[in-house]
Amino acid sequence: MPFQQGSARTRQRTVLLVGIVVLLAALVLAVVLASVLTHGERGEVAPKMLKWKDRGTTKNLQEVILGRCYSYVMARYPELGDKDCLKIWESLKHAFIYKDPCNITSEDYQPLMELASHPIPCNKSLFWSKTNDLAHRYTKSNQNFLTLEDTLLGYMADRVSWCGDPSAPGINYESCPKRSECESNPSSVFWKMASKMFAEAACGVVQVMLNGSIEAGAFRSSSIFGSIEIFNLNPDKVSAVHIWVMHDIGGPQSESCSGHSIKRLTSILEERNFKITCEDNYRPVQLLQCVYNPDHTDCRLCTNTMANP
Ligand SMILES: *[C@@H]1O[C@H](CO)[C@@H](O)[C@H](O)[C@H]1NC(C)=O
Ligand SMILES: *[C@@H]1O[C@H](CO)[C@@H](O)[C@H](O)[C@H]1NC(C)=O
Ligand SMILES: *[C@@H]1O[C@H](CO)[C@@H](O)[C@H](O)[C@H]1NC(C)=O
């Protein structure tokens, strides 16, 4: 009797053990199968993405845009008040996700432009062309001026790239179209609209920082400034345009205020009834350049004639 009982218990235990082993084996099989299937799916989707020449969408785009938006609205300019960063991100995403990246229109961005726009104080707008670094070093050190990249829209999008693709997941992280591949790509359309809005918002005295060390000329009609911004300044709001032509310290002085391209710019602006002034190497900006070239003659506090009477 006790022997029989023992044998029954052993049989029960064996059955239980076999059951557990079978269950575990089934589980492992399911996990392996699932991973193979999703890998297969990914393998199928990736080659369907269109291939372009420019870098793809910035990794973690959502976190980058949201982080910059909150940083701008909460920390830098709390006076802007009720900007909804989540809504702003959603409207940026909806402008391009799952869309053909060569067929983006201004309508796609209209909701984003409306959500993110804010007033710009008079006399503060600073336009720039080919002086990216210097212009932004200047607005960082002098809170009296704002470039497009110092507005919420420009701040969020600065040096970030994005584009969509008709196939899942609707965002192309591998490549995006260059302007030479198609004009109506997500970045170009965005910057055109943002620049137009920035110019339209300007009032009072506006300034423009140009690069006098560019051989092709400081003012180029094909630039964003030359093709979009100058034509969207409102003569009823903007009284004067101050041009600053900056030369690299110790670099070539290809053009100054009396140069050909500056004359072209001046005549375009005068035709639109703006008052113009032009200054070579505007001193407050040149002093910033001198931080990196303190010993250069252009950076001396006194002129040579005063130093050597
Ligand atoms: C471009 O997009 C518009 C609307 O978003 C659509 O009507 C048009 O058919 C598209 N064109 C091409 C070539 O995909
Ligand atoms: C803008 O500058 C002009 C000329 O310097 C000045 O008359 C005007 O008061 C300024 N406006 C503001 C809002 O600072
Ligand atoms: C002018 O343009 C050149 C070439 O792009 C650049 O290296 C230089 O830093 C620019 N100078 C200024 C003052 O921005």
Side-chain angles (χ1 to χ4, degrees):
M1 198 63 174
F3 177 73
Q4 267 189 341
Q5 250 184 3
S7 142
R9 221 178 279 146
T10 312
R11 211 176 300 135
Q12 260 181 354
R13 229 181 269 154
T14 312
V15 167
L16 204 74
L17 221 79
V18 167
I20 289 174
V21 165
V22 166
L23 213 79
L24 270 174
L27 210 78
V28 166
L29 195 75
V31 166
V32 167
L33 222 86
S35 100
V36 163
L37 276 179
T38 46
H39 264 283
E41 247 169 59
R42 250 183 249 142
E44 268 167 44
V45 165
K48 266 199 257 161
M49 286 262 159
L50 301 166
K51 281 202 165 48
W52 306 102
K53 290 188 180 138
D54 219 345
R55 69 192 165 125
T57 302
T58 305
K59 304 277 182 295
N60 302 103
L61 180 70
Q62 172 172 349
E63 288 78 6
V64 172
I65 297 293
L66 276 176
R68 287 182 175 188
C69 181
Y70 284 123
S71 160
Y72 191 93
V73 172
M74 302 291 155
R76 286 182 60 147
Y77 295 96
E79 64 270 23
L80 286 183
D82 62 337
K83 290 287 173 208
D84 185 338
C85 288
L86 267 177
K87 251 191 179 168
I88 286 174
W89 158 249
E90 290 291 326
S91 66
L92 170 63
K93 187 172 79 177
H94 285 125
F96 74 95
I97 193 167
Y98 280 107
K99 289 187 186 167
D100 172 357
C102 280
N103 189 23
I104 298 298
T105 63
S106 15
E107 284 77 47
D108 291 323
Y109 282 119
Q110 203 55 49
L112 170 65
M113 298 290 147
E114 280 161 24
L115 283 172
S117 79
H118 56 82
I120 292 158
C122 286
N123 295 357
K124 283 201 168 190
S125 304
L126 171 62
F127 298 90
W128 59 271
S129 187
K130 292 271 180 188
T131 53
N132 192 338
D133 268 17
L134 189 56
H136 294 111
R137 268 198 279 145
Y138 187 56
T139 58
K140 276 201 186 75
S141 70
N142 187 333
Q143 302 294 311
N144 273 327
F145 297 105
L146 283 171
T147 64
L148 172 56
E149 291 72 22
D150 298 306
T151 68
L152 175 56
L153 268 174
Y155 184 79
M156 289 189 298
D158 195 21
R159 290 161 213 248
V160 163
S161 79
W162 65 89
C163 70
D165 194 281
S167 51
I171 298 183
N172 193 338
Y173 290 100
E174 301 304 318
S175 65
C176 287
K178 270 196 157 142
R179 218 172 127 190
S180 55
E181 291 177 283
C182 57
E183 284 266 333
S184 298
N185 67 67
S187 280
S188 298
V189 174
F190 172 87
W191 285 112
K192 266 190 196 170
M193 284 185 84
S195 313
K196 179 170 178 282
M197 246 176 51
F198 182 59
E200 284 169 348
C203 58
V205 179
V206 307
Q207 16 285 318
V208 51
M209 192 190 294
L210 300 177
N211 188 329
S213 292
I214 298 265
E215 213 173 308
F219 171 69
R220 296 163 311 123
S221 329
S222 58
S223 65
I224 292 250
F225 173 68
S227 63
I228 296 171
E229 288 168 338
I230 47 174
F231 298 108
N232 284 287
L233 293 172
N234 182 347
D236 296 330
K237 290 194 336 196
V238 173
S239 53
V241 179
H242 290 175
I243 304 166
W244 303 332
V245 179
M246 304 306 301
H247 299 114
D248 292 338
I249 302 288
Q253 310 222 344
S254 311
E255 196 173 13
S256 64
C257 280
S258 53
H260 284 299
S261 83
I262 300 294
K263 284 212 175 104
R264 258 193 304 124
L265 169 60
T266 306
S267 72
I268 293 172
L269 290 171
E270 274 169 353
E271 229 167 84
R272 305 201 60 223
N273 283 324
F274 300 114
K275 281 203 203 87
I276 324 291
T277 68
C278 183
E279 198 166 333
D280 285 312
N281 296 318
Y282 178 62
R283 191 65 178 161
V285 176
Q286 194 181 46
L287 288 174
L288 266 184
Q289 295 177 289
C290 285
V291 168
Y292 297 101
N293 304 271
D295 299 326
H296 197 274
T297 44
D298 293 352
C299 295
R300 287 197 186 144
L301 286 178
C302 306
T303 63
N304 280 337
T305 48
M306 284 170 79
N308 315 300

